[in-house]
Amino acid sequence: MELEDIVEILKKDPERAVPELLEDVRNQYGEVPYIMNFMKDLPEIFIPKTLYDNSIMREFKNLDPETVELISIGVASALRCEHCLKMHIRIAKRRGIKKEKIFYAIMIGASISNAAVLAESTRALASEFPGDGSEVEDENEKNCRDPNCEICDISRATLK
């Protein structure tokens, strides 16, 4: 959606803009997500959220709709958002994305989710047992040679 289109939507009376946005979403996804139906009576929230979501989910210049859906599925899987996951699987199915590709997106999300749990949990565990030899130096911190690196400063502060 171009900026000019957004300006035109914002100029409209909310009683006209909301149904138009809902219809546009229905045309794009084949359904209106629950959260949008829930918020449709709150145009001051619904309109900006819908415009924002549209800009993120549908207006990529370098990602095709299949990739966006697969990313959405992986993220919904990682976040364990059952409703989002089911909706994005339905959208992917309507777009002709094969079950195997959807499954791999779910597995990538699950793997990232698992890694996040382990990364946070093992750091917490190591911080409670300092000096027992179980601390692991972060490879990225070890490889970085820039003494002014902001990322390394953050990592050093977190590991202390």
Side-chain angles (χ1 to χ4, degrees):
M1 181 175 290
E2 299 298 323
L3 190 56
E4 297 80 27
D5 299 328
I6 294 171
V7 169
E8 287 305 312
I9 290 168
L10 292 175
K11 286 180 185 177
K12 292 181 182 178
D13 178 7
E15 289 182 18
R16 257 186 67 218
V18 170
E20 288 178 20
L21 288 169
L22 285 169
E23 187 58 30
D24 182 57
V25 168
R26 185 177 284 106
N27 290 337
Q28 290 295 318
Y29 295 136
E31 65 184 273
V32 175
Y34 167 81
I35 193 96
M36 295 181 114
N37 272 319
F38 187 88
M39 293 188 324
K40 69 184 177 193
D41 296 326
L42 303 167
E44 69 279 6
I45 297 171
F46 174 82
I47 292 171
K49 179 175 180 357
T50 303
L51 293 174
Y52 174 78
D53 288 352
N54 182 62
S55 297
I56 300 299
M57 299 293 289
R58 295 182 13 211
E59 296 299 327
F60 284 111
K61 303 296 183 213
N62 296 308
L63 293 177
D64 60 275
E66 178 179 312
T67 302
V68 172
E69 279 314 311
L70 292 171
I71 290 169
S72 298
I73 288 166
V75 170
S77 173
L79 294 175
R80 297 179 180 159
C81 180
E82 180 182 357
H83 303 292
C84 296
L85 183 59
K86 287 180 176 181
M87 188 195 80
H88 285 288
I89 289 172
R90 286 192 305 271
I91 293 168
K93 186 178 175 185
R94 279 189 210 108
R95 291 195 169 161
I97 301 173
K98 296 197 179 313
K99 183 180 179 181
E100 292 76 19
K101 276 190 172 185
I102 295 169
F103 177 69
Y104 281 112
I106 290 169
M107 292 301 295
I108 290 168
S111 178
I112 295 297
S113 179
N114 179 269
V117 168
L118 289 172
E120 186 67 26
S121 300
T122 55
R123 282 182 172 88
L125 181 61
S127 74
E128 291 299 319
F129 292 90
D132 73 349
S134 66
E135 298 89 4
V136 178
E137 188 173 338
D138 189 339
E139 281 295 314
N140 292 324
E141 185 177 330
K142 198 166 61 173
N143 294 331
C144 183
R145 306 266 188 256
D146 182 358
N148 300 316
C149 177
E150 290 179 26
I151 304 294
C152 291
D153 285 343
I154 293 168
S155 292
R156 278 189 224 94
T158 303
L159 293 174
K160 289 181 181 174

